[in-house]
mmCIF file of all heavy atoms in Angstrom:
data_model
loop_
_atom_site.group_PDB
_atom_site.id
_atom_site.type_symbol
_atom_site.label_atom_id
_atom_site.label_comp_id
_atom_site.label_asym_id
_atom_site.label_seq_id
_atom_site.Cartn_x
_atom_site.Cartn_y
_atom_site.Cartn_z
ATOM 1 N N GLU A 1 0.856 -1.185 0.000
ATOM 2 C CA GLU A 1 0.000 0.000 0.000
ATOM 3 C C GLU A 1 0.896 1.240 0.000
ATOM 4 O O GLU A 1 1.370 1.687 1.042
ATOM 5 C CB GLU A 1 -0.949 -0.045 1.198
ATOM 6 C CG GLU A 1 -1.866 -1.272 1.137
ATOM 7 C CD GLU A 1 -2.862 -1.360 2.282
ATOM 8 O OE1 GLU A 1 -2.866 -0.446 3.145
ATOM 9 O OE2 GLU A 1 -3.635 -2.333 2.325
ATOM 10 N N LEU A 2 1.131 1.787 -1.175
ATOM 11 C CA LEU A 2 2.249 2.702 -1.393
ATOM 12 C C LEU A 2 1.906 4.187 -1.314
ATOM 13 O O LEU A 2 2.815 5.013 -1.213
ATOM 14 C CB LEU A 2 2.881 2.416 -2.764
ATOM 15 C CG LEU A 2 3.312 0.955 -3.001
ATOM 16 C CD1 LEU A 2 3.932 0.817 -4.380
ATOM 17 C CD2 LEU A 2 4.270 0.487 -1.919
ATOM 18 N N ASN A 3 0.641 4.560 -1.385
ATOM 19 C CA ASN A 3 0.318 5.982 -1.362
ATOM 20 C C ASN A 3 0.794 6.664 -0.081
ATOM 21 O O ASN A 3 1.198 7.829 -0.099
ATOM 22 C CB ASN A 3 -1.190 6.195 -1.530
ATOM 23 C CG ASN A 3 -1.624 6.113 -2.979
ATOM 24 O OD1 ASN A 3 -0.861 6.408 -3.892
ATOM 25 N ND2 ASN A 3 -2.859 5.692 -3.201
ATOM 26 N N GLY A 4 0.749 5.950 1.036
ATOM 27 C CA GLY A 4 1.228 6.522 2.294
ATOM 28 C C GLY A 4 2.700 6.866 2.240
ATOM 29 O O GLY A 4 3.134 7.884 2.803
ATOM 30 N N THR A 5 3.480 6.032 1.558
ATOM 31 C CA THR A 5 4.909 6.308 1.398
ATOM 32 C C THR A 5 5.120 7.607 0.632
ATOM 33 O O THR A 5 5.946 8.447 1.004
ATOM 34 C CB THR A 5 5.594 5.145 0.677
ATOM 35 O OG1 THR A 5 5.361 3.928 1.395
ATOM 36 C CG2 THR A 5 7.094 5.381 0.553
ATOM 37 N N ALA A 6 4.363 7.787 -0.456
ATOM 38 C CA ALA A 6 4.480 9.008 -1.253
ATOM 39 C C ALA A 6 4.045 10.234 -0.452
ATOM 40 O O ALA A 6 4.660 11.306 -0.553
ATOM 41 C CB ALA A 6 3.645 8.884 -2.520
ATOM 42 N N ILE A 7 3.001 10.086 0.341
ATOM 43 C CA ILE A 7 2.526 11.209 1.168
ATOM 44 C C ILE A 7 3.593 11.598 2.190
ATOM 45 O O ILE A 7 3.894 12.784 2.375
ATOM 46 C CB ILE A 7 1.200 10.833 1.859
ATOM 47 C CG1 ILE A 7 0.072 10.759 0.810
ATOM 48 C CG2 ILE A 7 0.841 11.836 2.954
ATOM 49 C CD1 ILE A 7 -1.206 10.135 1.328
ATOM 50 N N VAL A 8 4.188 10.615 2.834
ATOM 51 C CA VAL A 8 5.247 10.893 3.819
ATOM 52 C C VAL A 8 6.436 11.566 3.141
ATOM 53 O O VAL A 8 7.038 12.507 3.685
ATOM 54 C CB VAL A 8 5.669 9.596 4.539
ATOM 55 C CG1 VAL A 8 6.963 9.813 5.324
ATOM 56 C CG2 VAL A 8 4.572 9.123 5.473
ATOM 57 N N GLN A 9 6.814 11.115 1.952
ATOM 58 C CA GLN A 9 7.932 11.737 1.233
ATOM 59 C C GLN A 9 7.680 13.218 0.983
ATOM 60 O O GLN A 9 8.577 14.055 1.150
ATOM 61 C CB GLN A 9 8.160 11.015 -0.095
ATOM 62 C CG GLN A 9 8.759 9.625 0.041
ATOM 63 C CD GLN A 9 8.914 8.952 -1.304
ATOM 64 O OE1 GLN A 9 8.234 9.287 -2.277
ATOM 65 N NE2 GLN A 9 9.814 7.973 -1.372
ATOM 66 N N ARG A 10 6.482 13.559 0.594
ATOM 67 C CA ARG A 10 6.165 14.958 0.310
ATOM 68 C C ARG A 10 6.110 15.801 1.581
ATOM 69 O O ARG A 10 6.546 16.960 1.582
ATOM 70 C CB ARG A 10 4.856 15.034 -0.485
ATOM 71 C CG ARG A 10 5.101 14.689 -1.945
ATOM 72 C CD ARG A 10 3.888 14.071 -2.612
ATOM 73 N NE ARG A 10 4.224 13.688 -3.987
ATOM 74 C CZ ARG A 10 4.929 12.611 -4.323
ATOM 75 N NH1 ARG A 10 5.400 11.793 -3.392
ATOM 76 N NH2 ARG A 10 5.186 12.334 -5.593
ATOM 77 N N LEU A 11 5.603 15.221 2.638
ATOM 78 C CA LEU A 11 5.609 15.934 3.916
ATOM 79 C C LEU A 11 7.042 16.189 4.379
ATOM 80 O O LEU A 11 7.363 17.263 4.891
ATOM 81 C CB LEU A 11 4.852 15.128 4.972
ATOM 82 C CG LEU A 11 3.344 15.001 4.762
ATOM 83 C CD1 LEU A 11 2.767 13.967 5.722
ATOM 84 C CD2 LEU A 11 2.643 16.339 4.944
ATOM 85 N N ALA A 12 7.909 15.195 4.185
ATOM 86 C CA ALA A 12 9.311 15.351 4.582
ATOM 87 C C ALA A 12 9.978 16.488 3.828
ATOM 88 O O ALA A 12 10.848 17.189 4.371
ATOM 89 C CB ALA A 12 10.064 14.043 4.345
ATOM 90 N N ALA A 13 9.572 16.689 2.576
ATOM 91 C CA ALA A 13 10.173 17.747 1.763
ATOM 92 C C ALA A 13 9.583 19.121 2.067
ATOM 93 O O ALA A 13 10.235 20.143 1.820
ATOM 94 C CB ALA A 13 9.978 17.426 0.279
ATOM 95 N N GLN A 14 8.385 19.172 2.616
ATOM 96 C CA GLN A 14 7.675 20.438 2.760
ATOM 97 C C GLN A 14 7.673 21.014 4.176
ATOM 98 O O GLN A 14 7.383 22.199 4.350
ATOM 99 C CB GLN A 14 6.219 20.266 2.297
ATOM 100 C CG GLN A 14 6.091 19.956 0.816
ATOM 101 C CD GLN A 14 4.654 19.696 0.393
ATOM 102 O OE1 GLN A 14 3.705 20.056 1.085
ATOM 103 N NE2 GLN A 14 4.482 19.057 -0.760
ATOM 104 N N ILE A 15 7.961 20.210 5.183
ATOM 105 C CA ILE A 15 7.886 20.687 6.569
ATOM 106 C C ILE A 15 9.290 20.876 7.117
ATOM 107 O O ILE A 15 10.143 19.983 7.029
ATOM 108 C CB ILE A 15 7.081 19.712 7.442
ATOM 109 C CG1 ILE A 15 5.641 19.622 6.923
ATOM 110 C CG2 ILE A 15 7.078 20.161 8.906
ATOM 111 C CD1 ILE A 15 4.767 18.634 7.651
ATOM 112 N N ASP A 16 9.520 22.032 7.716
ATOM 113 C CA ASP A 16 10.826 22.407 8.253
ATOM 114 C C ASP A 16 10.761 22.369 9.776
ATOM 115 O O ASP A 16 9.890 23.001 10.384
ATOM 116 C CB ASP A 16 11.172 23.815 7.765
ATOM 117 C CG ASP A 16 12.523 24.310 8.257
ATOM 118 O OD1 ASP A 16 13.221 23.540 8.953
ATOM 119 O OD2 ASP A 16 12.863 25.467 7.958
ATOM 120 N N ALA A 17 11.663 21.622 10.383
ATOM 121 C CA ALA A 17 11.675 21.514 11.845
ATOM 122 C C ALA A 17 11.844 22.874 12.506
ATOM 123 O O ALA A 17 11.334 23.107 13.611
ATOM 124 C CB ALA A 17 12.789 20.568 12.293
ATOM 125 N N GLY A 18 12.540 23.798 11.850
ATOM 126 C CA GLY A 18 12.755 25.119 12.427
ATOM 127 C C GLY A 18 11.490 25.936 12.553
ATOM 128 O O GLY A 18 11.419 26.876 13.353
ATOM 129 N N ASN A 19 10.461 25.576 11.760
ATOM 130 C CA ASN A 19 9.184 26.286 11.811
ATOM 131 C C ASN A 19 8.077 25.450 12.435
ATOM 132 O O ASN A 19 6.897 25.788 12.325
ATOM 133 C CB ASN A 19 8.760 26.690 10.390
ATOM 134 C CG ASN A 19 9.746 27.640 9.750
ATOM 135 O OD1 ASN A 19 10.288 28.519 10.419
ATOM 136 N ND2 ASN A 19 10.000 27.472 8.456
ATOM 137 N N LEU A 20 8.464 24.381 13.096
ATOM 138 C CA LEU A 20 7.500 23.429 13.649
ATOM 139 C C LEU A 20 7.367 23.590 15.156
ATOM 140 O O LEU A 20 8.354 23.822 15.851
ATOM 141 C CB LEU A 20 7.960 22.003 13.313
ATOM 142 C CG LEU A 20 7.114 20.833 13.806
ATOM 143 C CD1 LEU A 20 5.794 20.763 13.027
ATOM 144 C CD2 LEU A 20 7.888 19.514 13.640
ATOM 145 N N ALA A 21 6.136 23.469 15.652
ATOM 146 C CA ALA A 21 5.893 23.368 17.095
ATOM 147 C C ALA A 21 5.540 21.913 17.403
ATOM 148 O O ALA A 21 4.606 21.360 16.822
ATOM 149 C CB ALA A 21 4.759 24.293 17.522
ATOM 150 N N GLY A 22 6.295 21.289 18.278
ATOM 151 C CA GLY A 22 6.078 19.880 18.565
ATOM 152 C C GLY A 22 7.029 18.997 17.793
ATOM 153 O O GLY A 22 8.031 19.458 17.231
ATOM 154 N N THR A 23 6.698 17.728 17.736
ATOM 155 C CA THR A 23 7.576 16.749 17.103
ATOM 156 C C THR A 23 6.767 15.910 16.128
ATOM 157 O O THR A 23 5.675 15.443 16.455
ATOM 158 C CB THR A 23 8.222 15.830 18.160
ATOM 159 O OG1 THR A 23 8.898 16.638 19.125
ATOM 160 C CG2 THR A 23 9.211 14.879 17.516
ATOM 161 N N LEU A 24 7.325 15.715 14.938
ATOM 162 C CA LEU A 24 6.675 14.935 13.895
ATOM 163 C C LEU A 24 7.543 13.726 13.581
ATOM 164 O O LEU A 24 8.733 13.860 13.286
ATOM 165 C CB LEU A 24 6.494 15.802 12.650
ATOM 166 C CG LEU A 24 5.618 15.259 11.523
ATOM 167 C CD1 LEU A 24 4.198 14.994 12.004
ATOM 168 C CD2 LEU A 24 5.613 16.233 10.344
ATOM 169 N N LEU A 25 6.943 12.538 13.668
ATOM 170 C CA LEU A 25 7.627 11.286 13.359
ATOM 171 C C LEU A 25 7.073 10.769 12.035
ATOM 172 O O LEU A 25 5.892 10.412 11.946
ATOM 173 C CB LEU A 25 7.403 10.258 14.466
ATOM 174 C CG LEU A 25 7.753 10.703 15.888
ATOM 175 C CD1 LEU A 25 7.410 9.599 16.888
ATOM 176 C CD2 LEU A 25 9.232 11.068 15.985
ATOM 177 N N LEU A 26 7.908 10.733 11.014
ATOM 178 C CA LEU A 26 7.491 10.304 9.682
ATOM 179 C C LEU A 26 8.032 8.904 9.404
ATOM 180 O O LEU A 26 9.241 8.692 9.357
ATOM 181 C CB LEU A 26 8.008 11.278 8.626
ATOM 182 C CG LEU A 26 7.526 12.731 8.743
ATOM 183 C CD1 LEU A 26 8.185 13.592 7.662
ATOM 184 C CD2 LEU A 26 6.006 12.813 8.634
ATOM 185 N N VAL A 27 7.119 7.956 9.235
ATOM 186 C CA VAL A 27 7.488 6.564 8.966
ATOM 187 C C VAL A 27 7.004 6.219 7.560
ATOM 188 O O VAL A 27 5.825 5.921 7.355
ATOM 189 C CB VAL A 27 6.861 5.609 9.992
ATOM 190 C CG1 VAL A 27 7.302 4.168 9.718
ATOM 191 C CG2 VAL A 27 7.232 6.019 11.412
ATOM 192 N N PRO A 28 7.889 6.263 6.563
ATOM 193 C CA PRO A 28 7.439 6.028 5.184
ATOM 194 C C PRO A 28 6.992 4.597 4.923
ATOM 195 O O PRO A 28 6.074 4.358 4.129
ATOM 196 C CB PRO A 28 8.660 6.389 4.341
ATOM 197 C CG PRO A 28 9.818 6.206 5.259
ATOM 198 C CD PRO A 28 9.326 6.561 6.630
ATOM 199 N N VAL A 29 7.640 3.632 5.590
ATOM 200 C CA VAL A 29 7.327 2.218 5.372
ATOM 201 C C VAL A 29 7.380 1.498 6.719
ATOM 202 O O VAL A 29 8.458 1.279 7.269
ATOM 203 C CB VAL A 29 8.324 1.558 4.391
ATOM 204 C CG1 VAL A 29 7.994 0.072 4.220
ATOM 205 C CG2 VAL A 29 8.312 2.262 3.046
ATOM 206 N N ALA A 30 6.213 1.140 7.233
ATOM 207 C CA ALA A 30 6.172 0.424 8.509
ATOM 208 C C ALA A 30 6.512 -1.052 8.324
ATOM 209 O O ALA A 30 7.142 -1.666 9.179
ATOM 210 C CB ALA A 30 4.793 0.572 9.157
ATOM 211 N N ASN A 31 6.097 -1.633 7.204
ATOM 212 C CA ASN A 31 6.349 -3.048 6.917
ATOM 213 C C ASN A 31 7.361 -3.148 5.785
ATOM 214 O O ASN A 31 7.006 -3.326 4.625
ATOM 215 C CB ASN A 31 5.035 -3.744 6.556
ATOM 216 C CG ASN A 31 5.213 -5.196 6.151
ATOM 217 O OD1 ASN A 31 6.315 -5.747 6.190
ATOM 218 N ND2 ASN A 31 4.121 -5.827 5.753
ATOM 219 N N ILE A 32 8.640 -3.011 6.122
ATOM 220 C CA ILE A 32 9.688 -3.010 5.102
ATOM 221 C C ILE A 32 9.790 -4.363 4.401
ATOM 222 O O ILE A 32 10.139 -4.442 3.221
ATOM 223 C CB ILE A 32 11.056 -2.604 5.715
ATOM 224 C CG1 ILE A 32 12.103 -2.393 4.617
ATOM 225 C CG2 ILE A 32 11.511 -3.623 6.739
ATOM 226 C CD1 ILE A 32 11.784 -1.283 3.663
ATOM 227 N N PHE A 33 9.434 -5.438 5.096
ATOM 228 C CA PHE A 33 9.539 -6.781 4.517
ATOM 229 C C PHE A 33 8.506 -6.954 3.396
ATOM 230 O O PHE A 33 8.815 -7.416 2.298
ATOM 231 C CB PHE A 33 9.342 -7.839 5.602
ATOM 232 C CG PHE A 33 10.304 -7.705 6.743
ATOM 233 C CD1 PHE A 33 9.932 -7.041 7.903
ATOM 234 C CD2 PHE A 33 11.586 -8.216 6.652
ATOM 235 C CE1 PHE A 33 10.816 -6.899 8.955
ATOM 236 C CE2 PHE A 33 12.491 -8.081 7.689
ATOM 237 C CZ PHE A 33 12.096 -7.413 8.855
ATOM 238 N N GLY A 34 7.261 -6.574 3.659
ATOM 239 C CA GLY A 34 6.242 -6.629 2.618
ATOM 240 C C GLY A 34 6.506 -5.634 1.509
ATOM 241 O O GLY A 34 6.232 -5.906 0.331
ATOM 242 N N PHE A 35 7.051 -4.482 1.853
ATOM 243 C CA PHE A 35 7.379 -3.451 0.872
ATOM 244 C C PHE A 35 8.371 -3.982 -0.162
ATOM 245 O O PHE A 35 8.206 -3.780 -1.369
ATOM 246 C CB PHE A 35 7.958 -2.243 1.611
ATOM 247 C CG PHE A 35 8.338 -1.074 0.761
ATOM 248 C CD1 PHE A 35 7.383 -0.165 0.322
ATOM 249 C CD2 PHE A 35 9.665 -0.857 0.400
ATOM 250 C CE1 PHE A 35 7.733 0.932 -0.455
ATOM 251 C CE2 PHE A 35 10.029 0.232 -0.373
ATOM 252 C CZ PHE A 35 9.059 1.133 -0.809
ATOM 253 N N LEU A 36 9.399 -4.685 0.298
ATOM 254 C CA LEU A 36 10.436 -5.195 -0.604
ATOM 255 C C LEU A 36 9.914 -6.316 -1.495
ATOM 256 O O LEU A 36 10.402 -6.508 -2.614
ATOM 257 C CB LEU A 36 11.640 -5.685 0.204
ATOM 258 C CG LEU A 36 12.432 -4.595 0.938
ATOM 259 C CD1 LEU A 36 13.503 -5.222 1.816
ATOM 260 C CD2 LEU A 36 13.053 -3.621 -0.057
#
């Protein structure tokens, strides 16, 4: 299920920690074994 990976990639490119309040944990692939 790959759309979540693409969404996380775009969020990673668009959000800057310097302008963020709080902490964001981005997990592009939770099941790396099935992904491969």
Side-chain angles (χ1 to χ4, degrees):
E1 299 181 1
L2 306 181
N3 279 332
T5 304
I7 290 169
V8 167
Q9 288 178 337
R10 282 151 184 77
L11 292 169
Q14 295 176 18
I15 298 177
D16 180 2
N19 298 322
L20 179 71
T23 305
L24 190 60
L25 306 177
L26 299 177
V27 182
V29 178
N31 176 4
I32 189 63
F33 303 97
F35 181 81
L36 292 174

